[in-house]
Amino acid sequence: QVQLVESGGGLVQAGGSLRLSCAASGRTSSSYAMGWFRQAPGKEREFVAHITWSSGMTYYAESVKGRFTISRDNAKNTVYLQMNSLKPEDTAVYYCATRKQFSGSGTYPRSYDTWGQGTQVTVSS
C-alpha cells in the first residue's frame, strides 16, 4: 500500500504562485506514475497533470499548460506541482494520486488507486 500526503495549499492573489508537494510512503515500488487532480465546488474532479517516476514523462491539461509544472524527486518519493500565474478559476481542492502501469489513461480519476487527502488552493481576484 502507498500513502500520499499533500501540502502547500493556501490563499494567493491572481497572478501569484504556489508550490504543492505530495509525499509518498509505504510500498512505493508499485507506483508507476503520479497525477494531480483538482475539484471545485459543484464540479467533477478534473485532471491537471501527471508524471512517471522512471522517465519523468509529463502531460498537462490544456487549461494549465504553460503555467503549471509537475516534477518529481525520486530520492524523496515526492512529487511537486509548481503553479504560476494563478487565476481565480484555479481555485479548488488539489489531490495527488498514484497509479500502476497499464492501469488506463492517466487523465481519468478511475485509473488511480490511491489518493491523498487534498489541499485547498484559493486564488483571489
Side-chain angles (χ1 to χ4, degrees):
Q1 297 295 317
V2 178
Q3 295 80 47
L4 305 175
V5 179
E6 302 102 329
S7 61
L11 173 64
V12 297
Q13 291 184 306
S17 298
L18 283 173
R19 189 177 77 155
L20 307 183
S21 298
C22 177
S25 61
R27 201 168 70 88
T28 57
S29 61
S30 64
S31 177
Y32 171 72
M34 300 290 291
W36 284 99
F37 291 78
R38 64 189 183 186
Q39 189 164 21
K43 295 188 176 181
E44 297 296 313
R45 194 159 296 188
E46 175 189 23
F47 168 75
V48 176
H50 67 55
I51 187 169
T52 60
W53 286 109
S54 57
S55 69
M57 181 181 296
T58 61
Y59 189 76
Y60 297 90
E62 191 67 28
S63 60
V64 306
K65 194 174 298 181
R67 299 188 298 121
F68 292 8
T69 302
I70 188 170
S71 61
R72 92 285 197 212
D73 186 332
N74 291 50
K76 296 181 179 179
N77 288 323
T78 300
V79 174
Y80 305 95
L81 185 68
Q82 179 66 47
M83 309 165 67
N84 298 328
S85 301
L86 283 162
K87 305 174 181 179
E89 49 263 46
D90 295 319
T91 295
V93 177
Y94 283 70
Y95 299 89
C96 68
T98 184
R99 66 180 177 93
K100 298 179 175 65
Q101 196 171 21
F102 313 120
S103 63
S105 173
T107 64
Y108 292 95
R110 62 176 179 266
S111 299
Y112 295 79
D113 52 25
T114 303
W115 294 80
Q117 83 286 353
T119 185
Q120 177 70 49
V121 172
T122 303
V123 184
S124 61
S125 59

